[in-house]
Amino acid sequence: MPEQNTSSPPGQGHNGAIDWAKFHGRLETARSAMQRRLTPNVEERRVILRARARVLAQERQGDEDFSQSRLEVVEFLLASEHYGIELTYIREIHALTEFTPLPGTPAFVLGLTNVRGRILSVIDIKKLFDLPGKGLTDLNKVIVVRTHQMELGILADAVLGVRTIALNEFQTSLPTLTGIRAEYLKGITKDPLVVLDVAKILSDETIVVNDGGNGVS
């Protein structure tokens, strides 16, 4: 007669009942052993932290490189030409609802307008750049630009939207742009899109109208 195995399965008593205390003990032992295998020691943690630090540093450097290699501008129309202003200089874009002409000012000064309680001078760059003029329509917008010292509005025939320019496709001069247009040029793309140097415009005393209300608050 073959010998019968009378031993009980692990965690089960001889009478067939499960010994829950032993079962949970074995389960806890197995869990602890697995946790020890999965938990890194001090040196392993240092290696992991150093690797994470390197990855984060590379990501930050990548973000900085990307921001330094790109230029975000608001693209708008003057006559039939495309122009751009860096987003960092733009406070807001406002519909031209009404304005007050200023007698005795240069032809490129459109006048004064009220933007959210601020009285700003508005300039028409088309006249400054000797571009063909056109009548005012509902598409006209005032692009409010500012630096730390000055704020004014630039008249746009139409605003087309925000555009990102790769600096390696950016030319800082063009032989066909001369005179005052070249002076206020920051760069130009192949399209072409002419990006204005707003900081230079706002620092030029011959352009900015001192109306007593266009300082930056």
Side-chain angles (χ1 to χ4, degrees):
M1 178 181 294
E3 183 179 352
Q4 294 184 352
N5 186 2
T6 58
S7 61
S8 301
Q12 184 172 318
H14 292 288
N15 58 359
I18 296 176
D19 188 337
W20 289 107
K22 289 183 179 180
F23 177 80
H24 286 297
R26 290 192 179 97
L27 185 62
E28 185 61 32
T29 299
R31 184 185 294 114
S32 299
M34 182 177 292
Q35 186 65 30
R36 286 194 298 271
R37 288 195 298 269
L38 295 178
T39 303
N41 58 33
V42 174
E43 184 58 32
E44 289 172 337
R45 284 199 295 269
R46 288 175 180 170
V47 172
I48 293 172
L49 290 174
R50 284 197 294 267
R52 288 177 179 172
R54 284 195 298 270
V55 171
L56 290 174
Q58 291 171 356
E59 290 178 351
R60 285 195 295 267
Q61 184 62 44
D63 291 342
E64 292 175 0
D65 292 342
F66 181 82
S67 63
Q68 292 172 2
S69 63
R70 298 288 189 273
L71 193 68
E72 286 193 316
V73 301
V74 167
E75 183 177 2
F76 60 96
L77 290 177
L78 293 178
S80 60
E81 297 184 0
H82 291 240
Y83 283 78
I85 293 176
E86 291 178 78
L87 275 178
T88 53
Y89 290 108
I90 296 177
R91 179 166 183 169
E92 62 181 298
I93 297 175
H94 192 270
L96 180 65
T97 54
E98 59 182 21
F99 66 93
T100 302
L102 287 176
T105 57
F108 62 81
V109 179
L110 184 67
L112 299 179
T113 189
N114 188 325
V115 179
R116 303 181 190 280
R118 305 189 313 279
I119 305 301
L120 300 178
S121 58
V122 180
I123 63 173
D124 186 350
I125 291 183
K126 292 194 302 294
K127 295 181 179 179
L128 188 65
F129 289 171
D130 198 24
L131 295 174
K134 58 186 298 186
L136 297 176
T137 70
D138 293 338
L139 295 177
N140 284 108
K141 296 291 188 292
V142 176
I143 303 175
V144 180
V145 295
R146 67 183 300 183
T147 60
H148 295 299
Q149 293 80 25
M150 190 57 62
E151 182 178 43
L152 59 74
I154 293 178
L155 180 67
D157 289 339
V159 173
L160 303 180
V162 177
R163 175 174 169 180
T164 301
I165 302 171
L167 292 184
N168 58 7
E169 301 175 359
F170 204 52
Q171 302 178 54
T172 55
S173 63
L174 196 67
T176 57
L177 288 179
T178 58
I180 195 167
R181 295 178 70 187
E183 183 178 350
Y184 298 126
L185 171 71
K186 185 177 182 70
I188 187 169
T189 66
K190 295 177 181 179
D191 299 5
L193 171 73
V194 179
V195 179
L196 299 175
D197 191 337
V198 172
K200 187 172 290 186
I201 292 175
L202 291 180
S203 63
D204 191 335
E205 295 180 355
T206 64
I207 289 182
V208 177
V209 178
N210 185 11
D211 56 79
N214 61 348
V216 176
S217 58

